[in-house]
Amino acid sequence: MEKVKLLNLKGEEVKELKLNEEIFGITPNDKVLYDAIILAQASLRQGTHATKNRSQVSGGGRKPWRQKGTGRARQGSIRAVQWVGGGRYGTPVPRDYSKKQNRKERRLALKSALSHKFAAGEVIVMEELAFSTPRTKEMVALLKTLNLTDKKVLFVVDNFDENIILASRNLQNVALILYDEINVLDLVNADVVVFTNEALNKIEEGLK
């Protein structure tokens, strides 16, 4: 049985939670997880890189000199690739980097990432996540309470609270997402994942 402690904002154990073994206790499929990470990284690429070829640069409409008799190499345009200011050859062109992965594989990849995190002891569940003020020191104090000051922390919440958003946005080692935005790239990039109890319940319900 996969179990984890449910903590309050003071870092005290409230009770022990049972996790869904089909989500947090599976044997991770590293191949599917790897493919999902590559897919996520590829989707972040804009693919707008481009340079002009010889048909796109301006000028060069006339042959620079006659074909024969000048003693120079024959040239058809001053915008050929060998000329300064000429077009480029073999350089990147706009393209779509996105990849595809079927739904079952995406779900398996997410379960594999969650199982890896749980097996490594990098999952924390909190009773709730709420601050009285929108100050960064509130989040810093919580990280210190949970001994996460020097770690990259991913908070997965069931709803966005303005105080939480404002208190965490200036901390480079803290990321905040909703339960329905959870993804393999954020999971593997984080040292520790902190769920609210309600967010965890909704994730388990969605991945059944």
Side-chain angles (χ1 to χ4, degrees):
M1 185 66 69
E2 313 299 340
K3 295 182 179 180
V4 67
K5 295 177 180 178
L6 179 65
L7 307 180
N8 58 22
L9 289 173
K10 297 180 180 179
E12 301 168 340
E13 180 180 350
V14 177
K15 64 178 181 178
E16 199 170 50
L17 289 179
K18 295 180 181 179
L19 299 179
N20 190 324
E21 292 184 358
E22 296 180 359
I23 298 174
F24 290 91
I26 68 169
T27 300
N29 188 319
D30 291 337
K31 174 61 170 63
V32 172
L33 178 57
Y34 173 81
D35 289 342
I37 293 171
I38 296 299
L39 182 150
Q41 291 176 327
S43 68
L44 297 176
R45 301 185 68 175
Q46 291 183 324
T48 55
H49 42 46
T51 55
K52 292 183 179 181
N53 59 31
R54 62 182 293 172
S55 69
Q56 294 172 317
V57 293
S58 61
R62 185 185 64 171
K63 189 175 175 68
W65 52 76
R66 59 194 176 96
Q67 183 82 345
K68 295 177 179 291
T70 64
R72 291 178 287 186
R74 55 193 175 188
Q75 299 291 332
S77 170
I78 62 171
R79 290 297 175 257
V81 295
Q82 71 271 20
W83 285 73
V84 174
R88 301 294 92 189
Y89 173 76
T91 52
V93 294
R95 57 166 291 191
D96 180 11
Y97 283 97
S98 64
K99 298 178 181 292
K100 292 183 179 180
Q101 192 176 35
N102 66 49
R103 183 169 178 267
K104 286 185 178 180
E105 287 180 321
R106 293 198 302 269
R107 289 168 66 89
L108 178 57
L110 190 54
K111 290 179 181 180
S112 296
L114 291 169
S115 292
H116 267 305
K117 285 296 177 185
F118 178 76
E122 297 171 353
V123 171
I124 294 175
V125 182
M126 301 198 65
E127 193 175 24
E128 63 175 353
L129 188 62
F131 296 152
S132 57
T133 64
R135 294 188 173 185
T136 304
K137 69 177 184 180
E138 295 261 19
M139 179 60 76
V140 172
L142 176 61
L143 295 176
K144 187 175 181 181
T145 299
L146 300 175
N147 296 319
L148 302 177
T149 304
D150 299 324
K151 296 183 181 295
K152 290 193 293 184
V153 185
L154 174 66
F155 284 93
V156 184
V157 298
D158 52 294
N159 61 69
F160 277 146
D161 178 79
E162 186 176 1
N163 286 349
I164 299 296
I165 295 173
L166 295 176
S168 61
R169 67 179 181 179
N170 287 334
L171 298 175
Q172 293 184 346
N173 65 320
V174 173
L176 182 69
I177 63 173
L178 283 173
Y179 70 94
D180 57 358
E181 297 172 337
I182 192 169
N183 61 87
V184 294
L185 194 57
D186 283 339
L187 286 173
V188 299
N189 280 337
D191 295 324
V192 176
V193 184
V194 180
F195 297 93
T196 61
N197 191 23
E198 186 62 29
L200 180 63
N201 291 336
K202 290 181 178 180
I203 290 170
E204 290 186 332
E205 183 66 29
L207 290 177
K208 280 184 179 178

